[in-house]
Amino acid sequence: LTKVLSLDVWVFAAVSMVLTVMRILDAFNDPITGLVIDNLRTPWGKFKPAILVGGVLSAIFSVLLFANIGTGWGFVIIFGLAYLLWDITYGVNDIGYWTLLPVLSSDQKQRERTGAFARICANIGMYIVMVAWQPVTMGLGNTPSVWFWCAVVIAVIYLMGLLFPLLGVKEKRISPEKQESTTVRQMMRALLKNDQLMWTTLAMGLFMVGYCTTVGFAVYYMKYVFGNEGLYVVLVGVCGVAQLSALAVYPA
């Protein structure tokens, strides 16, 4: 948005506002998405359908975000809709995936090991993209077309990765007759009356503000303050090694 599309200042401001509003709405979107998944009743369980449908649709909207749709006000509308739909569908996939983990085992140690390993794999993928996006896109010309095809490649890898939980994991299913239903009122009561969860939520909220801010500003800091944009890759690499090391020792 800032270095490739050369948007008009007002168009850029509008897109930035779209991203800000979507981030705020995301805080309300996730609990509702979790409620919908919790109430799913299908022959294939509740988690795998969410992973599959959310994964396929979010991959499509991910690619659409980088499609060549101009740079005018029409771009703001299409980008805003694509980002909204991507946010919802990726949330369906993501929540379906991470809520599948706890039902795989009732053994706490096994769940900790499984969860830590899954998070290590997820972070490896994330940091590969964070380290590679700048040198890869710059090396290929840093054009909108380059970004589009990079998005296509990542979307395909993402869908291939979903085959592991979809085909390699057995979901413990509950018959529709025995499955309990949860209402919005019950969910809100459970959330607001759980003071331990509220403190954890506050901590995660503050963490994400700091994390997204530092990640978002890092490349600009390296270019305009530090004077060497190429060192962004080194910064992300160091962060990646530190975080993966912490995850590796977490089960112990």
Side-chain angles (χ1 to χ4, degrees):
L1 292 175
T2 59
K3 304 163 87 174
V4 179
L5 294 184
S6 300
L7 299 175
D8 179 80
V9 63
W10 294 109
V11 175
F12 177 74
V15 173
S16 300
M17 184 59 66
V18 167
L19 293 173
T20 303
V21 171
M22 294 302 174
R23 285 285 186 176
I24 296 172
L25 292 178
D26 193 43
F28 302 95
N29 172 48
D30 280 2
I32 300 300
T33 300
L35 183 69
V36 172
I37 294 174
D38 193 46
N39 287 321
L40 273 182
R41 291 175 174 83
T42 77
W44 305 279
K46 65 170 68 173
F47 302 112
K48 287 189 177 183
I51 294 172
L52 176 61
V53 174
V56 172
L57 291 178
S58 62
I60 293 172
F61 293 125
S62 293
V63 172
L64 184 59
L65 285 171
F66 295 93
N68 185 12
I69 50 178
T71 57
W73 289 103
F75 167 78
V76 177
I77 297 172
I78 296 175
F79 183 89
L81 288 174
Y83 191 90
L84 172 64
L85 294 171
W86 169 82
D87 189 49
I88 294 172
T89 54
Y90 181 76
V92 170
N93 168 263
D94 194 51
I95 293 172
Y97 177 82
W98 291 107
T99 48
L100 171 63
L101 280 176
V103 303
L104 298 182
S105 173
S106 58
D107 182 277
Q108 182 178 345
K109 290 295 182 183
Q110 180 64 40
R111 287 164 62 167
E112 288 175 357
R113 288 192 295 268
T114 304
F117 180 72
R119 179 56 69 182
I120 287 172
C121 293
N123 279 29
I124 288 174
M126 179 181 72
Y127 278 109
I128 287 175
V129 175
M130 290 179 68
V131 169
W133 73 260
Q134 187 180 33
V136 169
T137 53
M138 292 295 291
L140 294 175
N142 202 33
T143 64
S145 178
V146 166
W147 280 83
F148 172 77
W149 286 109
C150 284
V152 170
V153 170
I154 291 175
V156 170
I157 295 172
Y158 165 58
L159 292 175
M160 291 172 61
L162 292 182
L163 296 177
F164 288 97
L166 290 174
L167 302 180
V169 174
K170 291 183 179 180
E171 177 182 336
K172 183 180 179 181
R173 300 171 189 171
I174 303 173
S175 62
E177 296 79 17
K178 295 182 179 180
Q179 182 174 323
E180 296 180 358
S181 296
T182 306
T183 65
V184 175
R185 179 178 293 181
Q186 288 173 325
M187 178 194 69
M188 294 305 298
R189 187 183 299 122
L191 290 174
L192 297 176
K193 288 191 174 182
N194 188 335
D195 62 329
Q196 304 302 298
L197 180 60
M198 287 294 97
W199 283 114
T200 305
T201 302
L202 176 61
M204 180 56 72
L206 293 172
F207 167 77
M208 289 306 297
V209 169
Y211 177 78
C212 292
T213 302
T214 51
V215 170
F217 279 106
V219 66
Y220 300 107
Y221 179 85
M222 286 302 178
K223 180 176 182 178
Y224 296 111
V225 179
F226 207 79
N228 188 343
E229 190 174 8
L231 286 179
Y232 169 78
V233 175
V234 178
L235 175 66
V236 174
V238 170
C239 292
V241 170
Q243 196 166 51
L244 291 173
S245 300
L247 285 168
V249 301
Y250 174 77

